[in-house]
Structure formats: structure tokens, C-alpha cells
Amino acid sequence: MTSGSSEIEHGFPHLHTVRAAVHALFTRLSHDTVSTFDTSVLPVDVAFDETEDLHLGAQRVARALVRQLHLPDARMVITFREMEHAANVELTAGPAYFIELNDRFATHRTDIGAALAHEVMHICLHRLDLSFPGTRDNEILTDTATTYLGAGWLLLDAYREHGPFSQKLGYLTPEEFGYVLALRARFFGEDPAPWFTSPQAYEAYTAGAERAARDRRRPPLAGAGWAARLRYAKDRRAAREPGRTARPAAAAGGDGYAFEGPSPLRVTFPCPACHQRIRVPVRGRLQARCGLCKTLLDCDT
């Protein structure tokens, strides 16, 4: 896991990979299994008193995260040493879990939960045999899965900028963490906002939530804005032209929809919740249910 006080990247540069990670999580686990992660790890379960023994406290927090991510209970071996990154985990068949933490966490204990959350998720994904090719994309998958399954709000809350001091854990930008948290919040009806101790984390969550809301305002969803609806209507007319074949999604104004036809004309578009592609007939107002995450969507095709 990355960490440090270098300049922090902002915005949504990894959004494509983040969406692919959410989709992969639903595909690998199924809607029913994802639904069992309906409660996030609570602040009281990962709080770290300065008077608590360092190693016993770290093991206690790690066990809470193991329970949160539905891993088998096992002996936790957590060590602290000088290292470049924030943490490292040994991916073995078990039964013990071996995690190394940067020794700076010995004096900055409030962020131990965040560092452990990422590493415990590495164990979880290893056991699920779920990975992306390449270190960068695999780390983005890890951050996304940690956040969507209820432990990643800790990673966002570890983001702070105070004058010359700045810190961010993980590979996602703060706003991307906020985006995934917003997807989770809408899916489970859970509001993580009261848990943030970092004002910058709350701002990033707000920005991420707005970006997630934009996904729900893309045509052919009924909540699309007028400009997007006009563009969609123009593309729909073009798709109905005689001799017209399927319209590539990339040509549809960046909204991700694509027409197939022209007769009978259908439109495909990404689910705003899990990014599974959905195919529906072009026949006006209708409701569509995503086959992967079961989200019910109001559409105006």
C-alpha cells in the first residue's frame, strides 16, 4: 500500500478501473453474497487508545476487519518495521495471517485500521482468486473492494492535508474513494458521513457522491438532464435510419449507451450501480432490473 506526504492526486483518473472493479466484485461474489456486507465496520471496533498495548491493539483491530470481510478467524501476526510503503501482507494458505506495518504507525495509531483494512482485503481477494493484471490495477481493485465491502471508509478518513503535511493511504484518489463509498451508501442505504474525522475526507466523499449521482443522470435513465436527452434523441433517430447497424457506445456522447438495430431497436447501457451492461427495447418509459446487482432502474428509452 502506498503512503506518504508527496503531492496528492485528485479527481477521477482511475474511474474506468474502479467501475470494472465494482463489476468484478458483483460478478465474483453474486448479489446475494455482496448483500451480506450491509453493515460497515464501526468506528468503535477500530478505535485505538494511546494507552492500549501496540501489538495487542493492532491484533484486535485486525480481527475486527477479518470479521467484517467474512474471513475465517485465525491467529494474527502483526509486526512493525521501517519500510517504504505503509504495509505489506504475506499471502499464504494460512491458517495464520502475517501483516507488516510501517513503524510510523506505532506513533500514529489512529491510521492502523486503515492500513490493516487494505492488507486484510488482499487476503480476502487472494482466497477468492480475484485479481486484475498488473500491480496498479490490482491495487485499485483492492481499494475498491475494501471500500465497497464496508472497511474502506477508514482509508478515506486517513486522508488529511494540513499545510505542509499531507497524507493519503491507498491507490485511489480521495474523490474516487468517495465515489465508491457513495455507490455503497446508495446500495445499502448506509450513510458513512458521521464517521469521518478528517474534514478533507468528508469533502472528498461529497465530490465522489456527486460523480456517482451523475451516473444516474445518463440516458436512457429517466433522470437524465435535458441536454443529454436531446443528444440521446438525436442518436436514436440516427440509429433508426435505414441500413443502420449497431451504434458503438463510444460514439454516444460519452454516456455509455449504444443502439442495436435498427429493427427491433434496442439500447444497451451500463448499470449505474454495478456497471453491468443492460439491454432493453426502445419503446419509451419502462423499468429495467439489472440482472447482476438487482437494482431497479427507471428508463425513458
Side-chain angles (χ1 to χ4, degrees), residues 114 147 151-160 167-169 173-179 181 196 198 200-202 204-206:
T147 305
W153 68 267
L154 288 162
L155 286 160
L156 179 53
D157 198 40
Y159 159 56
R160 290 182 288 275
Q167 171 186 279
K168 183 186 74 68
L169 299 181
T173 68
E175 292 79 12
E176 288 167 342
F177 273 118
Y179 174 84
L181 269 176
F196 293 125
S198 164
Q200 293 87 3
Y202 178 77
Y205 171 61
T206 301

Side-chain angles (χ1 to χ4, degrees), residues 22-292:
V22 173
H23 182 261
L25 200 60
F26 271 94
T27 301
R28 181 66 181 84
L29 292 180
S30 81
H31 163 268
D32 291 346
T33 301
V34 170
S35 296
T36 64
F37 293 84
D38 55 331
T39 302
S40 290
V41 64
L42 297 175
V44 67
D45 294 327
V46 291
F48 207 125
D49 193 312
E50 290 295 331
T51 63
E52 188 173 7
D53 180 85
L54 176 63
H55 291 86
L56 293 178
Q59 291 173 2
R60 175 185 57 79
V61 172
R63 284 195 297 270
L65 292 164
V66 164
R67 290 194 300 270
Q68 171 64 34
L69 299 176
H70 301 183
L71 285 168
D73 192 17
R75 184 169 65 96
M76 305 297 303
V77 180
I78 300 174
T79 59
F80 294 79
R81 68 174 178 87
E82 185 178 352
M83 56 195 299
E84 179 183 357
H85 298 299
N88 184 53
V89 63
E90 183 178 337
L91 297 175
T92 63
Y97 302 122
F98 298 89
I99 299 175
E100 295 178 318
L101 295 180
N102 191 303
D103 58 6
R104 70 182 177 86
F105 289 116
T107 54
H108 294 83
R109 300 184 179 188
T110 57
D111 296 326
I112 285 179
L116 286 173
H118 180 96
E119 302 309 320
V120 172
M121 178 51 73
H122 269 302
I123 298 171
C124 184
L125 293 176
H126 178 69
R127 288 176 175 244
L128 288 171
D129 193 25
L130 177 59
S131 64
F132 279 178
T135 299
R136 169 189 167 276
D137 286 1
N138 202 53
E139 293 291 352
I140 290 172
L141 168 64
T142 304
D143 280 342
T144 301
T146 307
T147 305
Y148 204 93
L149 297 184
W153 68 267
L154 288 162
L155 286 160
L156 179 53
D157 198 40
Y159 159 56
R160 290 182 288 275
E161 290 192 71
H162 300 293
F165 174 78
S166 64
Q167 171 186 279
K168 183 186 74 68
L169 299 181
Y171 284 71
L172 299 185
T173 68
E175 292 79 12
E176 288 167 342
F177 273 118
Y179 174 84
V180 182
L181 269 176
L183 293 181
R184 173 185 167 80
R186 186 171 182 85
F187 187 80
F188 290 107
E190 179 187 70
D191 181 13
W195 303 331
F196 293 125
T197 61
S198 164
Q200 293 87 3
Y202 178 77
E203 293 170 3
Y205 171 61
T206 301
E210 171 54 32
R211 187 64 186 81
R214 284 171 54 188
D215 290 353
R216 302 191 300 273
R217 298 195 295 265
R218 299 192 297 182
L221 297 175
W226 68 269
R229 294 294 312 169
L230 287 175
R231 184 171 60 248
Y232 176 84
K234 179 181 178 182
D235 290 337
R236 183 177 56 200
R237 286 194 300 271
R240 282 179 165 146
E241 293 176 2
R244 191 79 174 186
T245 56
R247 183 176 181 82
D255 284 318
Y257 59 80
F259 291 103
E260 297 177 353
S263 179
L265 190 63
R266 293 177 174 268
V267 62
T268 69
F269 61 96
C271 171
C274 71
H275 309 290
Q276 170 85 345
R277 290 203 71 82
I278 299 171
R279 178 182 289 103
V280 296
V282 176
R283 63 182 187 202
R285 295 296 293 259
L286 56 84
Q287 286 189 321
R289 188 176 296 278
C290 176
L292 185 59

